[in-house]
Amino acid sequence: MRHYETSVQELKDKVLTAVARLAWNDKLQTNEILDIPEQIVPGPEAQMRCCIYKERAVVGSRIKMVMGGDRANPNLVEVLPIACDECPVTEISVGPSCRGCIAHRCMEACPKGAIRIENHHSVIDHSKCVLCGKCVAACPYGAITKNMRPCERGCPVKAISMGPDRKASIDASKCISCGECVVQCPFGAIMDKSYIVDVIQMLMGADKWGLHVYAVLAPSFVGQFNCTPGQMVSALKEMGFYDVGEVALGADLTAKAEAAEFDERGGEPMTSSCCPAFVAYVERHMPDMVPKVSTTPSPMVMLGRYIKDRDPLARVVFIGPCVAKKREFHLGRTRSSIDLVITFEELYSMLAAKDIDVSKMPEAPLDHASGFGRSFAASGGVAAAVGQALKEMGSTVEARTLPCSGIEECKIALLKMSKGMLPENFIEGMACQGGCVQGPAVIMRSPKNKAEVAKHAKQAGERTINGAINQAGGAEEGLQSSENKPGGAVEKNRVQAQQ
C-alpha cells in the first residue's frame, strides 16, 4: 500500500487511478466518469473543505486536468480556481512586536510613504504599499513581516502572482514548468496536465495499429516503487509495453555527444542541456546566455531516437519525475523521438488501476547503462559523466565543472559566466534542488533517493560510457547513420535539437 506524504498527494492519486481504471476498461465515454467525485468524496461529512460539494467540485477540476486540462492554456501547469481560495492575500503587516521606536527606520525606508506612526505603532497603508520589503529589512525588532503565498514564495522565477480575482495566476511567459508550485501549494490548487489517458489508449490500441510501445525509465525511478529495477520491467511489460529502456543509456549517449561538443568548442564556457526547466530558464530569463547552452539533445531524446532508429514501429513513452519534460514534449521538441510523457505519480496510478503489484513481479533484464549515465539523476552526475567522456575520447581540453542545484545557484553561476568571472568552464544546470531525484513528481521526496541512485549506479560495475554504448549495440553509430548529417558535433547536435 502506498504511503502518501500529504493528503494532496493522496487526492491526486485517487483521481488519477479512478480515471485510469475507466480508461483501461474503455469506459471514459460513459456516464461513469461523472460518478468519480462522489466515489472519492462520499460524504456526508467534509474532510478537507467547507462542504462535500466544494470537495467534489475540486475533484471535478482535477479530472479535467487528468484528461489533458485546458487545451487553450499553453502552460503545462494550471491553477484550479475552485481550489485556490484559502491562502491569505499577499501583504506586509506589522505585528505586536512593534515597539513604536522613535528612530522610525521602517517609515524612512519606505519609498512610497506607505507607513505612518499612530499611537506609537507603525501602520501600513496598503493602497500605497508596493511590497518591496524594505521596511521588513529595516525594522530592528523583526516586527514587520511579508506574508507570501507558498506558491509565490516557492516559484524560483516569480511567475506566480495574485490575479484580479485574488487567486493565483501563472505568467506563461515567465514559467519554466519546474513544478515547484505544484509541490508547494498546500491546498493542491495547482496541478500539471496529464497524458495518462493518451498512454493507456496507445497501449490498448498498439496491436490493432501494429505499434511497438516502449517505456523509457528515468534512472531516478529506483527506490520509488518498492521493487527492483527488474521487477519494474516485468510490471511495465505486464501492463502492455513492448519493451523497456533505461534513460541512463540515453545519458551515456548525451555525455559522449556533449563532451565532443565541448571539445569542439575548445573548452569555451558552456552549460549542460539535459534539464528542460534549466534550458527554459536561460531562454526566458537570460536569453543572452542561450549560445552557451549545449546543443546536445537530452538523454530522453537520445534514447528515443536510438529506439526508433532500430524499430520503425516504435512509439516511445518517457516516464520520469519531471513536469518540465512534459513541457519539452508539449512544445514539439521531442517529435522525432518521444511520443508521450508521464510521471512516476501517474505510472503508480496506472499500475494500481490495473491491479499490478510491482513487488510481486518476476525479475527481468534492464539496459546495460554505465554508472555515469545512471548518475545523471543526481546533482553532479552530468558534470562527472562529461568529464569521464572527455577522458575516454582522449581529449586534451580541461573541463572545470560546476554542478548547480536549483535555479538560484544556476542564476548566480550564469551571471558570473556572462561577466567572465566564473573560474569553471562547464555549468551543470539542474532546476530541482538535488537534481532529478527530488523532482516534483517523485513518489517520495527523501535524502535516501540520492543514495538509491548511487547504489543503482554502482551495480553497473566498471562499465565505461563507451563500453555501455558498445554493449547496447553501437548506439552512437546507429544514430549517426540514420541522421546521415555532415559536420562536427556542434553542427549535428544543433540540427537534432531543432527537430
Side-chain angles (χ1 to χ4, degrees), residues 253 306 309-310 468-481:
L253 291 165
Y306 163 62
D309 183 65
R310 282 153 177 74
I469 292 172
N470 292 334
Q471 190 168 351
E476 186 185 59
E477 288 75 10
L479 283 169
Q480 288 178 340
S481 64

Side-chain angles (χ1 to χ4, degrees), residues 429-453:
M430 291 281 193
C432 294
Q433 292 284 347
C436 305
V437 291
Q438 301 293 358
V442 295
I443 305 297
M444 290 293 294
R445 271 165 287 278
S446 167
K448 293 181 180 179
N449 293 352
K450 186 174 182 178
E452 291 288 346
V453 168

Side-chain angles (χ1 to χ4, degrees), residues 325-479:
K325 286 294 184 186
K326 291 183 180 181
R327 176 183 181 273
E328 189 178 1
F329 163 74
H330 185 71
L331 291 175
R333 294 181 176 181
T334 67
R335 191 175 295 114
S336 62
S337 54
I338 300 296
D339 297 283
L340 286 168
V341 173
I342 58 171
T343 64
F344 292 154
E345 289 180 320
E346 291 161 341
L347 173 60
Y348 186 95
S349 298
M350 284 176 64
L351 291 164
K354 208 164 174 60
D355 298 317
I356 296 175
D357 187 341
V358 187
S359 64
K360 294 181 180 179
M361 298 300 295
E363 290 289 336
L366 191 58
D367 283 336
H368 297 289
S370 77
F372 294 98
R374 289 174 175 176
S375 295
F376 259 56
S379 178
V382 178
V386 170
Q388 172 67 17
L390 285 167
K391 179 181 177 182
E392 290 184 27
M393 67 185 288
S395 173
T396 57
V397 174
E398 179 188 6
R400 302 183 301 279
T401 60
L402 176 64
C404 292
S405 176
I407 289 298
E408 190 58 36
E409 282 190 16
C410 293
K411 177 183 177 181
I412 293 171
L414 287 166
L415 284 171
K416 288 182 178 180
M417 180 178 278
S418 69
K419 299 180 183 299
M421 299 171 58
L422 191 72
E424 295 83 6
N425 59 359
F426 184 88
I427 294 175
E428 174 199 291
M430 291 281 193
C432 294
Q433 292 284 347
C436 305
V437 291
Q438 301 293 358
V442 295
I443 305 297
M444 290 293 294
R445 271 165 287 278
S446 167
K448 293 181 180 179
N449 293 352
K450 186 174 182 178
E452 291 288 346
V453 168
K455 178 182 175 182
H456 186 49
K458 190 175 181 179
Q459 290 172 349
E462 301 298 319
R463 192 180 301 121
T464 63
I465 292 173
N466 282 332
I469 292 172
N470 292 334
Q471 190 168 351
E476 186 185 59
E477 288 75 10
L479 283 169

Side-chain angles (χ1 to χ4, degrees), residues 46-276:
Q47 300 298 314
M48 293 178 283
R49 300 281 179 168
C50 59
C51 64
I52 61 172
Y53 308 106
K54 180 68 171 286
E55 290 184 350
R56 289 171 181 172
V58 171
V59 171
S61 291
R62 285 186 163 272
I63 291 172
K64 181 179 179 180
M65 289 296 289
V66 175
M67 298 291 289
D70 182 0
R71 304 289 180 177
N73 188 334
N75 243 29
L76 255 297
V77 177
E78 292 185 28
V79 176
L80 310 181
I82 188 67
C84 182
D85 64 354
E86 300 290 349
C87 288
V89 174
T90 296
E91 63 177 24
I92 291 177
S93 58
V94 181
S97 298
C98 177
R99 310 308 301 162
C101 60
I102 61 175
H104 300 164
R105 298 186 191 279
C106 58
M107 188 170 68
E108 299 300 330
C110 180
K112 297 297 182 180
I115 299 180
R116 65 184 185 277
I117 308 298
E118 290 185 2
N119 298 322
H120 304 290
H121 194 275
S122 296
V123 177
I124 298 176
D125 182 345
H126 292 291
S127 66
K128 297 180 180 179
C129 179
V130 293
L131 304 174
C132 67
K134 291 183 178 181
C135 59
V136 177
C139 179
Y141 292 102
I144 305 179
T145 57
K146 186 175 183 178
N147 302 306
M148 292 186 70
R149 294 181 172 190
C151 57
E152 289 184 66
R153 186 171 59 247
C155 180
V157 293
K158 296 180 172 55
I160 301 182
S161 61
M162 183 179 67
D165 56 358
R166 294 184 176 270
K167 299 183 186 297
S169 176
I170 300 176
D171 185 340
S173 68
K174 294 181 179 179
C175 179
I176 59 174
S177 299
C178 65
E180 189 62 25
C181 56
V182 178
V183 176
Q184 294 297 331
C185 178
F187 284 93
I190 306 178
M191 185 176 171
D192 51 305
K193 292 174 178 172
S194 176
Y195 297 107
I196 189 172
V197 171
D198 303 80
V199 173
I200 292 172
Q201 291 177 339
M202 181 183 286
L203 288 169
M204 292 177 65
D207 289 339
K208 180 176 66 176
W209 300 326
L211 301 177
H212 296 161
V213 184
Y214 290 77
V216 292
L217 279 169
S220 49
F221 82 94
V222 291
Q224 292 291 312
F225 292 89
N226 190 32
C227 69
T228 65
Q231 288 177 315
M232 177 55 74
V233 172
S234 294
L236 288 167
K237 289 184 176 180
E238 176 72 16
M239 195 158 54
F241 284 99
Y242 180 79
D243 205 352
V244 181
E246 188 177 11
V247 178
L249 177 60
D252 285 323
L253 291 165
T254 291
K256 186 167 185 175
E258 203 152 72
E261 179 180 355
F262 186 68
D263 180 78
E264 190 170 308
R265 292 191 186 200
E268 288 296 313
M270 191 176 95
T271 81
S272 62
S273 59
C274 59
C275 174

